[in-house]
Amino acid sequence: IFFENRFAQKELGYGNIVYNYPLGEGNLGLGVSHFGHSDFSSYIIGITYAQKLHEYISMGVKVDYIGVNQLAEYGNFQGVSFDIGLLSQPIENLTVGFHAFNPANLSYFTEDKLKIPMAFKLGASYFITDDLMAAVESGLAFNADIPLIRAGLQYQAYDNLYLRTGFSGREIEYNFGIGYVYDNMIFDLAFAYHQFLGSSPKISFLY
């Protein structure tokens, strides 16, 4: 479960909930995400299947039902798309991931000229020491705007406690967070600060 109150504005709230279930040699997931408020909102309902293909690589495929709700004079849109993700650990301590959202550049059902956003991301993480991990991600969107690069550090301060910091840009946004692990539960709390738009609190829970 994840929730972000973007720039502390209720109209920019984003939430996401995902359930994962082992199936065969992989895992089946069902997720729902929602952004916005009564005048404008968007949602994605997705079904994912992922499994290990090789000793060093795993792959996931997700089918998305996407909806955009607006004021009556602008109309609503729905569409179907898919995601593809790859995760690899080519050497010890290094993990590399790739994600493609709507790689076929599909459109909404009722508006052929209105494309669903298409985006690609490439990221990597590396354990510098047993307690310190560095991560970096670069993204490219063809018909939407996402940050070009993100980078961060995670430090395991105690057995159950993690401290995190990072930044993202084009326009610089600083991030600070803390994570706590208890049995099979993970709690995360973070704050992002944008140089012009202010702060965004974020919280997540994993079981």
Side-chain angles (χ1 to χ4, degrees):
I1 300 173
F2 171 82
F3 180 75
E4 175 184 14
N5 191 12
R6 194 71 171 156
F7 309 125
Q9 300 294 316
K10 63 180 182 180
E11 295 84 1
L12 301 180
Y14 172 78
N16 187 13
I17 183 169
V18 177
Y19 176 76
N20 183 62
Y21 181 78
L23 182 65
E25 297 182 357
N27 288 274
L28 180 68
L30 174 64
V32 179
S33 64
H34 181 272
F35 169 82
H37 61 109
S38 57
D39 292 337
F40 176 86
S41 65
S42 63
Y43 62 89
I44 299 176
I45 302 171
I47 298 176
T48 306
Y49 185 76
Q51 73 172 61
K52 198 169 186 177
L53 301 180
H54 185 269
E55 183 180 358
Y56 302 109
I57 190 166
S58 301
M59 180 178 180
V61 177
K62 180 185 174 192
V63 178
D64 301 304
Y65 182 81
I66 303 168
V68 177
N69 297 324
Q70 306 177 97
L71 295 174
E73 54 265 36
Y74 299 108
N76 299 329
F77 308 106
Q78 294 83 34
V80 171
S81 183
F82 65 95
D83 303 21
I84 297 175
L86 295 170
L87 191 66
S88 176
Q89 190 173 12
I91 61 173
E92 187 178 4
N93 296 331
L94 175 66
T95 301
V96 179
F98 170 79
H99 177 249
F101 180 81
N102 188 30
N105 198 24
L106 300 174
S107 304
Y108 292 100
F109 292 143
T110 55
E111 295 288 339
D112 290 339
K113 295 182 179 180
L114 183 60
K115 299 291 187 179
I116 297 170
M118 178 173 61
F120 299 89
K121 296 179 182 179
L122 179 66
S125 65
Y126 184 77
F127 277 91
I128 302 170
T129 69
D130 291 342
D131 300 325
L132 181 63
M133 182 187 73
V136 63
E137 176 189 272
S138 179
L140 175 64
F142 289 89
N143 46 11
D145 184 24
I146 62 172
L148 288 177
I149 191 168
R150 297 183 177 98
L153 294 171
Q154 174 181 276
Y155 176 68
Q156 185 175 359
Y158 299 99
D159 289 343
N160 306 34
L161 185 66
Y162 297 83
L163 305 177
R164 304 182 182 104
T165 186
F167 74 92
S168 61
R170 302 174 177 171
E171 297 174 349
I172 298 298
E173 183 176 77
Y174 301 99
N175 295 267
F176 306 93
I178 186 171
Y180 184 77
V181 179
Y182 179 77
D183 287 340
N184 295 323
M185 297 179 288
I186 302 175
F187 303 88
D188 290 302
L189 179 66
F191 291 89
Y193 182 78
H194 190 280
Q195 58 182 335
F196 300 120
L197 301 176
S199 62
S200 302
K202 311 176 187 185
I203 189 170
S204 70
F205 169 72
L206 177 65
Y207 177 76

